[in-house]
Amino acid sequence: MIDISHVNKWYSPAFQVLKDCTTSVAKGEVVVVCGPSGSGKSTLIKCVNALEPFQEGEIKVDGIRVNDPKTNLPKLRARVGMVFQHFELFPHLKIIDNLCLAQEKVLGRGHEEAAAKAMKLLERVGLNDHAQKFPAQLSGGQQQRVAIARALAMDPIAMLFDEPTSALDPEMISEVLDVMVDLAREGMTMMVVTHEMGFARKVAHRVIFMDRGEIVEDADKEDFFGKPRSERAQKFLSKILSH
Ligand SMILES: Nc1ncnc2c1ncn2[C@@H]1O[C@H](COP(=O)(O)OP(=O)(O)OP(=O)(O)O)[C@@H](O)[C@H]1O
Ligand SMILES: [Mg+2]
């Protein structure tokens, strides 16, 4: 579903942020991406839905080349859901309207169809009572669940998550992770930047470890948690697991 092949990216001539990154995510697969701060995790997943350009290599999503000038990027982005650390809901729109906007503008759905879909998804993330509220009236965890529902409303073929729980209070983390675990178990193709190793152990098929722009480790979950091959990954894992 997602094919990343020999991707090199520079933010400036002196700073190469991604170094020969190659990996893939099969349909229905859940891949967790971890690694130290600044290692290029966010940059890599932003390249997947063309939020960041890259100079060399190739990324294909469902067979479509992301870095082909002919590719319809709004259409591609509509098919690859993205959830960030900060929920980025539209503050001036009610929750229900946050969920309807792109369905209507990008997919051309009528308002009734969009609203029905929105309500179904709000129910799924446990928030159907909040449809008429504004984002600021919800907790961080609730807002993040709205952001997930909003992405799902576009019927994505894959979902990208960039540290979706790292801005949340501890008691809200699990309510967001629960939604993500359900999604994974339903067979959604997912690429998830997270340091929630409990989530990784529960539902990931593979774990990618990045350091200084390189994919240092790309391993089955069992192998990664059993014992990562590289010393860098071993060190990283022992640090985050000791917290
Ligand atoms: N727009 C940009 N222009 C220049 N440098 C950038 C830009 N965005 C990120 N960087 C740099 O690129 C490197 C990788 O950043 P990135 O955000 O991908 O790391 P990350 O692994 O997601 O880190 P974190 O865990 O802190 O989120 C960092 O050194 C960062 O400072
Ligand atoms: Mg990041």
Side-chain angles (χ1 to χ4, degrees):
M1 187 65 84
I2 300 172
D3 245 306
I4 300 174
S5 174
H6 302 290
V7 168
N8 287 297
K9 175 177 170 67
W10 288 260
Y11 274 122
S12 71
F15 179 53
Q16 185 172 2
V17 59
L18 296 177
K19 298 174 187 159
D20 199 31
C21 292
T22 297
T23 188
S24 59
V25 184
K27 192 168 190 297
E29 200 173 24
V30 178
V31 173
V32 160
V33 182
C34 63
S37 180
S39 57
K41 306 177 300 292
S42 296
T43 304
L44 182 68
I45 68 163
K46 280 186 195 153
C47 285
V48 171
N49 69 349
L51 287 175
E52 280 289 351
F54 51 93
Q55 288 85 359
E56 291 177 3
E58 185 171 84
I59 298 182
K60 282 189 198 162
V61 176
D62 202 19
I64 297 165
R65 280 184 65 212
V66 169
N67 48 323
D68 183 339
K70 291 193 285 288
T71 296
N72 181 336
L73 292 182
K75 208 167 149 197
L76 170 86
R77 292 196 190 111
R79 303 203 68 205
V80 182
M82 174 114 194
V83 176
F84 299 93
Q85 179 174 357
H86 298 284
F87 336 114
E88 310 198 11
L89 300 174
F90 298 110
H92 60 295
L93 293 181
K94 288 180 178 168
I95 299 306
I96 180 84
D97 297 325
N98 260 283
L99 267 74
C100 287
L101 187 69
Q103 293 191 65
E104 293 170 25
K105 293 268 191 260
V106 181
L107 301 183
R109 286 185 185 147
H111 183 67
E112 251 166 61
E113 186 191 354
K117 177 113 191 163
M119 286 311 299
K120 222 164 106 193
L121 286 163
L122 283 176
E123 191 167 343
R124 173 163 169 190
V125 299
L127 292 172
N128 41 331
D129 291 343
H130 301 270
Q132 298 303 322
K133 290 187 180 168
F134 288 94
Q137 294 172 296
L138 301 188
S139 72
Q142 290 170 331
Q143 289 187 55
Q144 192 59 298
R145 285 185 280 152
V146 171
I148 294 172
R150 181 174 63 172
L152 292 175
M154 305 300 279
D155 294 324
I157 53 173
M159 288 280 286
L160 310 175
F161 292 85
D162 191 358
E163 304 207 37
T165 58
S166 57
L168 300 176
D169 290 340
E171 68 268 28
M172 290 169 196
I173 290 176
S174 64
E175 65 188 36
V176 171
L177 289 177
D178 285 347
V179 169
M180 291 170 62
V181 167
D182 283 348
L183 258 185
R185 292 196 168 140
E186 285 160 23
M188 177 61 81
T189 306
M190 293 162 71
M191 200 167 171
V192 185
V193 178
T194 185
H195 292 150
E196 292 292 340
M197 290 299 134
F199 172 81
R201 279 180 198 274
K202 213 185 253 178
V203 294
H205 298 104
R206 276 180 21 241
V207 179
I208 289 175
F209 172 75
M210 291 185 75
D211 193 16
R212 287 173 239 159
E214 283 174 68
I215 294 179
V216 175
E217 198 113 7
D218 184 345
D220 285 340
K221 172 177 59 179
E222 284 75 19
D223 295 337
F224 186 79
F225 287 115
K227 186 171 171 129
R229 275 182 303 114
S230 68
E231 207 175 308
R232 280 190 274 179
Q234 287 171 20
K235 268 200 187 137
F236 176 80
L237 200 55
S238 67
K239 252 192 239 163
I240 56 171
L241 291 182
S242 67
H243 282 298

